[in-house]
Amino acid sequence: MIPKIGIDLGTANTTIYISGRGIVLTEPTVVAVDELTNKILAVGKEAKDMIGKTPGDIKIYRPLKEGVIADYKATLAILRYFLNKVKITKFFKPILVISVPAGITSTERKAVIDAALEAGAREVYPIREPLLAALGAELPINTPSGHMIVNIGGGTTEIAVISLGGIVRWESIRIAGDKFDESIKEYLRKRFNLAVGEKTSEQIKIQIGSAIPVKNNSEDKVMEVRGINILSGLPVTVKVHANNIAEALQKDLREIITGIKKVLANTPPELVADIMEKGITLSGGSALLRNLDSLIYEHTGVPTYVADDALYCVARGTGKIIEKLDIYRRILFTK
């Protein structure tokens, strides 16, 4: 039997869905490379654990930038690693459904297909991410009705209005989880003279991050953050509040909201009416930022909801397609 595999090939994480088994694996989309020998030393979680702890000749790469392949060799290594890890061999070449950004070019699309075929796939179907996210969020995308999905991942925020199984209007913004982490790092440097690493800023976002400043002190989460004082060069511990993080992220969140407003403004009125009734659905790991749904509702007037299990919406969407390839044949051949 030919294996059927769905891959959410994200900038930050890659998730694997296997037909009949569901989601079987999620690991960081990261590789560690020895620059002296050009040899790949580690992939996935093992490589991410090395961030900030390697000598100068070992570099940590994210082979995907803003959802598309920036390093072909490293992306190929990632795909081979994951296919090997889920016990897919060259004797049983799988059919792959892979997520790609809504605005992918024909050249970028070909690079995804070539890398997947070289990694051992029999057939490859790159599907645009908003369609997969909407499917995974259980939106009835094949109906003649408008649905808005905002998928906030690691590298990009994909905003789309979907009707009758196709994307009517879309916008891709190069602001998402990775940019949030960078903004938090920059804010701590300016506000507290505190230098922290990539993993620390991500943990701050997850543990106390908020899209809206909280007025009630009892809701203001606090985290003790360890880093280096950039003036003295010595290690210090600083108490950081949720409201600090809300302040750090305001510029990034405003740009996402501007993108949502732009898509709504260019959507046919009949579909906007549907969206007003059904609301905006948020998916992706960064959609889990506290109070983000409230912030979007406040600025757009459209009810906004975070999808169930938002982190895995795209992966579940690939699963829906591989389980029913015939039903979704039209989406498979959407260019």
Side-chain angles (χ1 to χ4, degrees), residues 6-189:
I7 301 181
D8 174 11
L9 190 61
T11 305
N13 295 291
T14 294
T15 302
I16 305 292
Y17 185 109
I18 296 182
S19 178
R21 292 170 58 189
I23 293 172
V24 297
L25 191 68
T26 298
E27 285 201 32
T29 312
V30 180
V31 295
V33 179
D34 184 336
E35 293 203 317
L36 296 178
T37 61
N38 205 28
K39 181 183 177 182
I40 292 174
L41 301 177
V43 178
K45 184 179 182 301
E46 186 182 349
K48 187 173 182 179
D49 288 343
M50 296 180 181
I51 291 176
K53 301 176 181 179
T54 61
D57 56 342
I58 297 177
K59 298 296 182 185
I60 309 298
Y61 289 103
R62 285 188 172 177
L64 277 82
K65 186 174 176 61
E66 292 153 6
V68 297
I69 292 177
D71 186 317
Y72 184 88
K73 180 184 174 184
T75 303
L76 178 59
I78 285 268
L79 289 172
R80 280 179 172 158
Y81 168 80
F82 283 117
L83 291 178
N84 288 335
K85 194 153 188 180
V86 296
K87 305 294 189 289
I88 300 298
T89 70
K90 62 183 179 180
F91 300 108
F92 298 98
K93 291 189 173 185
I95 295 172
L96 297 188
V97 169
I98 301 182
S99 65
V100 295
I104 192 169
T105 65
S106 57
T107 302
E108 291 165 345
R109 187 174 183 275
K110 185 177 184 302
V112 171
I113 293 172
D114 289 348
L117 290 173
E118 194 174 342
R122 176 189 302 266
E123 299 172 31
V124 185
Y125 297 106
I127 310 293
R128 291 187 288 178
E129 205 167 81
L131 289 171
L132 294 171
L135 275 171
E138 304 293 344
L139 299 182
I141 68 169
N142 285 321
T143 60
S145 180
H147 303 276
M148 177 174 263
I149 186 84
V150 179
N151 188 69
I152 312 174
T156 59
T157 293
E158 304 266 320
I159 305 161
V161 173
I162 298 169
S163 179
L164 287 170
I167 295 176
V168 180
R169 294 287 184 272
W170 65 273
E171 185 81 10
S172 185
I173 300 172
R174 295 175 179 180
I175 291 174
D178 291 346
K179 183 63 171 65
F180 293 169
D181 297 344
E182 283 298 319
S183 295
I184 290 169
K185 283 173 63 176
E186 186 62 26
Y187 177 87
L188 295 178
R189 179 177 286 273

Side-chain angles (χ1 to χ4, degrees), residues 193-228:
N193 294 319
L194 182 70
V196 299
E198 178 183 322
K199 290 167 75 173
T200 299
S201 62
E202 182 182 22
Q203 281 304 310
I204 294 169
K205 176 186 68 180
I206 292 169
Q207 290 187 32
I208 65 170
S210 175
I212 298 175
V214 294
K215 296 176 182 177
N216 189 335
N217 287 337
S218 64
E219 297 176 5
D220 185 14
K221 294 178 178 289
V222 181
M223 179 177 174
E224 289 193 346
V225 178
R226 295 178 178 83
I228 296 173

Side-chain angles (χ1 to χ4, degrees), residues 250-309:
Q250 284 312 295
K251 182 181 176 185
D252 296 335
L253 296 175
R254 277 198 303 270
E255 292 200 38
I256 290 174
I257 290 167
T258 298
I260 293 171
K261 289 179 176 178
K262 182 178 177 182
V263 171
L264 286 170
N266 291 303
T267 297
E270 291 82 0
L271 296 181
V272 172
D274 293 335
I275 294 166
M276 287 295 296
E277 179 185 347
K278 298 178 177 66
I280 297 169
T281 301
L282 305 181
S283 64
S286 298
L288 299 174
L289 181 71
R290 290 176 189 84
N291 303 315
L292 181 55
D293 50 349
S294 300
L295 180 70
I296 292 172
Y297 173 64
E298 180 183 312
H299 284 269
T300 63
V302 181
T304 304
Y305 311 96
V306 179
D308 292 339
D309 205 14

